[in-house]
């Protein structure tokens, strides 16, 4: 049995460096407060996922910008590219914001050179309108990082400039090219399927500052040519549908990712073709988060070839080392923030173009035209160092996850247990589709099923008892050194639960991201939590009907 968790409530998860991206929220009652978005509650947080709420260094940068410009009654949002700032303004002033839209004369972009660091493009607007523009930061994910903000605050010699005052030169550090080479190597390691026409080179790997930045940016590039609807197939991280809805003509959502929904997709594509339309791209996660379903991407690839849409696959949950989706994808997106980084202290993502795709040259041209590297050098250095032991850590993450799933699945098969169901590639009907894309075992690595699963309890009372009695860290994120547990559905969709029922999600589900701890200790801790839930089940009075 592990010692009781000593981490400060609402503080960063150990080892708790300055740039931690997650936090500890230990009780179910905290989740209920989180859902209500009470500002007084959020004032208690010492750490937060920095794409949702600004990191303390970003807050300091914002404060410095407002003080430097003597902008009383104003707020501001800093970006490292003019395109991002411009899109933020468009978002805030869009008629889609309805009565909350910011008037164009209330919002502006000002430019600041921070010597040897960055050129900042800063959106200024009235403080009371900040909440209208902030969802752009949350969902597009293109805001400045905490390390970049830290360096800006420390720098001297700031200068406000005009748009046409030349270019601020910032040279890429070696870590950026090392990362591109490392990712290209991982993509091509132990490939699945027949030989490929061409191999991924480092020049086919593009780095972004967050996972959502990669999705948003790729979507924007494609929109610039086609401006057509997309499809989101299977459940996806909550910001993805916001991006597809807020930018462009919208999307069709097929949220279960089942073979039956591929049938529905096929009919939809035929109907669109009859009307002279086609979708520009289909996005999916492999597997999905948080219900771990795996779609039949081979069949979807055939539809992509027939109907001419791009197939864009996010392999974050499966992870480079375990699965190879390049054989069917035109673009592979990966949140490097998760298990690739592994230490919960840097945000990053990659987009990899498939050089064997028939659309490769078209995509290469789009990236050449639109891509600018906004991944900050110091973040690149942190990520390069973190990812050196990615494969070694993945062995443990895979094993710990599988062992815990087997332990809890055994309980789910016991009618007396409060455990109702376990969601993991190995427990779901979609397992064959996952196995089709598993990399073959090599002398140095045997692939697994990833470091995320969801456990469902029979009742909400049992769920609360399980969560409150689980002596592990409670917070968002996955792929960290320490196990992280969170009622993901309740916390993210707490006020939309009725809508989620048809997608197999409910408030009795707890998402688990096993870490690197001793597996016997983890199993013991989960056993204690299940016992507490079982006691609640045993003592709950159920009236006869």
């Amino acid at each position: 049995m592990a010692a009781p968790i000593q981490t400060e409530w609402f503080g960063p998860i150990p080892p708790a460096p300055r740039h931690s991206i997650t936090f500890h929220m230990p009780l179910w009652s905290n989740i209920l407060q989180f859902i209500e978005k009470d500002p007084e509650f959020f004032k208690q947080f010492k750490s937060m996922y920095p794409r949702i709420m600004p990191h303390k260094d970003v807050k300091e940068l914002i404060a410095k910008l407002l003080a430097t410009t003597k902008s009383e009654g104003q707020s501001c949002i800093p970006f490292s590219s003019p395109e991002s700032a411009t899109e933020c303004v468009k978002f805030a002033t869009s008629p889609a914001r309805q009565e909350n839209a910011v008037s164009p004369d209330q919002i502006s972009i000002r430019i600041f050179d921070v010597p040897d660091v960055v050129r900042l493009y800063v959106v200024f607007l009235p403080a009371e309108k900040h909440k209208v523009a902030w969802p752009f930061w949350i969902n597009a994910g293109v805001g400045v990082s905490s390390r970049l903000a830290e360096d800006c605050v420390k720098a001297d010699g700031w200068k406000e400039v005009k748009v046409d005052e030349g270019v601020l030169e910032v040279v890429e550090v070696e870590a950026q090219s090392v990362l591109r080479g490392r990712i290209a190597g991982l993509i091509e390691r132990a490939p699945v399927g027949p030989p490929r026409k061409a191999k991924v080179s480092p020049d086919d790997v593009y780095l972004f500052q967050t996972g959502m930045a990669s999705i948003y940016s790729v979507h924007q590039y494609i929109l610039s040519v086609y401006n057509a609807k997309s499809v989101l197939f299977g459940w996806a991280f909550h910001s993805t549908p916001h991006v597809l809805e807020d930018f462009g003509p919208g999307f069709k959502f097929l949220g279960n990712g089942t073979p039956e929904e591929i049938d529905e997709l096929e009919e939809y594509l035929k109907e669109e073709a009859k009307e002279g339309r086609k979708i520009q791209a289909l996005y999916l996660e492999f597997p999905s988060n948080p219900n771990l379903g795996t779609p039949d991407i081979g069949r979807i690839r055939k539809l992509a070839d027939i109907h001419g849409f791009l197939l864009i696959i996010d392999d974050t949950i499966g992870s480079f080392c375990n699965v190879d989706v390049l054989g069917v994808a035109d673009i592979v997106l990966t949140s490097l923030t998760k298990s690739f980084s592994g230490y919960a202290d840097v945000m990053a993502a990659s987009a990899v173009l498939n050089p064997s795709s028939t659309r490769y040259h078209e995509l290469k041209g789009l990236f050449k035209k639109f891509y600018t590297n906004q991944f900050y050098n110091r973040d690149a250095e942190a990520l390069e160092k973190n990812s050196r032991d990615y494969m070694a850590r993945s062995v443990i993450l895979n094993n710990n996850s599988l062992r815990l799933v087997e332990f809890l699945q055994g309980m789910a098969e016991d009618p007396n247990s409060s455990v109702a169901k376990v969601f993991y590639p190995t427990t779901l009907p979609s397992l064959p589709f996952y196995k089709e894309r598993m990399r073959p075992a090599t002398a140095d690595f045997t692939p697994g099923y990833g470091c995320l699963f969801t456990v469902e309890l029979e009742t909400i009372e049992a769920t609360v008892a399980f969560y409150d009695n689980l002596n592990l860290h409670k917070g968002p994120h996955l792929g960290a050194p320490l196990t992280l547990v969170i009622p993901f559905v309740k916390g993210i969709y707490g006020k939309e639960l009725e809508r989620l029922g048809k997608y197999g999600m409910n408030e009795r589900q707890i998402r688990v991201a096993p870490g690197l701890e001793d597996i016997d200790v983890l199993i013991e801790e989960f056993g204690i939590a299940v016992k507490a839930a079982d006691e609640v089940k045993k003592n709950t009075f159920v009236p006869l009907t």
Side-chain angles (χ1 to χ4, degrees), residues 517-531:
E517 301 98 327
D518 181 273
I519 184 56
D520 292 330
V521 172
L522 288 176
I523 288 174
E524 184 177 7
E525 295 296 349
F526 274 87
I528 292 169
V530 171
K531 185 177 180 181

Side-chain angles (χ1 to χ4, degrees), residues 483-500:
T483 299
L484 286 163
V485 182
I486 190 168
F488 184 84
V489 173
K490 181 72 171 179
I492 301 297
Y493 304 102
K495 296 188 176 183
E496 307 174 64
L497 292 173
E498 186 175 343
R499 177 177 71 87
L500 268 65

Side-chain angles (χ1 to χ4, degrees), residues 250-430:
F251 71 107
K252 182 173 180 60
F253 182 44
L254 297 165
N256 287 303
T258 59
E260 292 76 17
E261 285 191 334
I262 299 182
D263 294 339
E264 185 179 342
L265 170 65
E266 187 169 12
E267 289 304 310
Y268 171 73
L269 294 169
K270 289 177 179 177
E271 290 301 316
E272 289 293 284
K274 288 179 183 177
E275 298 297 324
R277 298 187 296 263
K278 69 177 184 178
I279 66 168
Q280 62 180 18
L282 182 146
Y283 296 81
L284 63 85
E285 293 186 0
F286 193 94
S288 61
N289 174 12
N291 52 17
L292 286 304
T294 308
D296 182 353
I297 58 176
R299 187 176 166 200
I300 295 174
R301 175 71 260 170
K302 292 176 182 176
L303 291 176
D305 292 337
I306 293 169
H307 294 277
F309 61 84
L310 291 162
L311 178 51
I312 302 171
I313 300 179
D314 183 335
D315 70 347
T316 299
I317 305 300
S319 198
F320 291 138
C321 60
N322 296 314
V323 297
D324 174 19
V325 298
L326 190 73
V328 294
D330 296 295
I331 306 175
V332 178
L333 302 178
T334 309
S335 173
L336 306 175
T337 309
K338 310 303 192 298
S339 56
F340 181 79
S341 170
Y343 292 93
D345 68 347
V346 64
M347 306 278 281
S350 61
V352 178
L353 304 187
N354 180 358
S356 298
S357 165
T358 58
R359 308 284 293 275
Y360 173 70
H361 294 292
E362 170 194 349
L363 292 170
K364 198 72 175 173
L366 279 178
F367 274 72
K368 183 177 181 180
K369 181 177 180 180
F370 292 111
Y371 175 80
T372 57
N373 187 359
Q374 297 179 60
F375 188 43
Y376 187 50
N377 277 336
R378 210 149 67 80
D379 291 317
E381 289 172 335
L383 182 63
E384 190 281 317
K385 181 179 178 182
N386 287 357
S387 61
R388 291 173 190 173
D389 63 352
Y390 163 65
M391 296 290 283
R393 284 186 287 100
S394 294
V395 172
I396 302 171
L397 294 175
N398 284 338
N399 179 67
N400 284 357
S401 301
L402 183 60
R403 289 281 304 279
L404 283 171
V405 165
E406 290 171 343
F407 173 72
L408 292 168
Q409 181 65 17
M411 293 182 170
E413 293 168 0
D414 178 357
N416 296 315
S417 173
S418 56
V419 178
K421 190 172 183 180
V422 183
F423 299 79
Y424 193 57
T426 60
T427 68
L428 299 175
S430 59

Side-chain angles (χ1 to χ4, degrees), residues 455-514:
V455 57
E456 180 178 313
L457 285 298
E458 281 193 348
T459 66
I460 188 62
E461 294 81 7
T463 307
V464 174
F466 174 88
Y467 187 78
D468 285 354
N469 285 278
L470 188 55
N471 180 38
L472 293 166
H473 284 92
K474 316 287 180 61
H477 190 50
L478 58 105
L482 298 173
T483 299
L484 286 163
V485 182
I486 190 168
F488 184 84
V489 173
K490 181 72 171 179
I492 301 297
Y493 304 102
K495 296 188 176 183
E496 307 174 64
L497 292 173
E498 186 175 343
R499 177 177 71 87
L500 268 65
K502 64 181 179 180
Y503 301 110
M505 286 179 275
N506 60 67
E507 63 182 341
R508 294 175 284 107
Q509 295 168 345
I510 304 293
R511 196 186 76 170
V512 182

Side-chain angles (χ1 to χ4, degrees), residues 421-447:
K421 190 172 183 180
V422 183
F423 299 79
Y424 193 57
T426 60
T427 68
L428 299 175
S430 59
L431 176 60
F433 304 133
Y434 185 98
K435 283 189 170 181
E436 282 179 4
R437 304 298 158 183
M438 284 185 81
R439 296 185 185 273
T442 58
D444 61 337
F445 189 82
T446 298

Side-chain angles (χ1 to χ4, degrees), residues 177 179-185 199-206 364:
S177 59
L179 284 166
R180 286 191 286 265
R182 184 171 296 160
I183 291 166
K199 288 189 175 183
V200 171
S201 77
D203 289 339
D204 296 322
V205 179
Y206 298 85
K364 198 72 175 173

Side-chain angles (χ1 to χ4, degrees), residues 109-283:
I109 299 171
R110 297 172 68 174
I111 306 167
F112 301 84
D113 276 356
V114 184
D116 301 318
V117 181
V118 72
R119 173 169 285 176
L120 289 174
Y121 299 82
V122 186
V123 175
F124 283 81
L125 72 168
E128 67 270 17
K129 290 290 188 177
H130 176 84
K131 63 182 180 181
V132 180
W134 190 250
F136 178 82
W137 174 290
I138 293 174
N139 295 319
V142 291
V144 299
S145 77
S146 57
R147 287 181 181 83
L148 191 155
E150 178 189 13
D151 290 349
C152 286
V153 170
K154 290 178 179 178
D156 295 319
W158 282 39
K159 180 178 70 169
E160 186 166 3
V161 301
K162 297 187 182 300
V163 176
D164 57 359
E165 286 193 7
V167 177
L168 180 70
E169 294 289 345
V170 178
V171 179
E172 279 190 13
V173 292
E174 184 184 5
Q176 300 246 13
S177 59
V178 171
L179 284 166
R180 286 191 286 265
R182 184 171 296 160
I183 291 166
L186 286 164
I187 284 278
E188 290 293 352
R189 188 195 67 83
V192 173
R196 294 168 181 163
K197 295 177 182 177
K199 288 189 175 183
V200 171
S201 77
D203 289 339
D204 296 322
V205 179
Y206 298 85
L207 299 174
F208 295 86
Q209 62 270 55
T210 67
M212 283 312 306
S214 69
I215 294 170
Y216 163 79
S217 299
V218 168
H219 179 58
Q220 290 285 74
Y221 302 168
I222 298 167
L223 275 177
S224 71
V225 176
Y226 298 106
N227 196 34
K229 286 187 177 182
S230 299
V231 168
L232 181 57
F233 191 80
W235 199 259
F237 186 69
H238 71 97
S239 285
T240 302
H242 285 293
V243 164
L244 298 180
E245 182 66 36
D246 288 340
F247 305 97
F251 71 107
K252 182 173 180 60
F253 182 44
L254 297 165
N256 287 303
T258 59
E260 292 76 17
E261 285 191 334
I262 299 182
D263 294 339
E264 185 179 342
L265 170 65
E266 187 169 12
E267 289 304 310
Y268 171 73
L269 294 169
K270 289 177 179 177
E271 290 301 316
E272 289 293 284
K274 288 179 183 177
E275 298 297 324
R277 298 187 296 263
K278 69 177 184 178
I279 66 168
Q280 62 180 18
L282 182 146
Y283 296 81

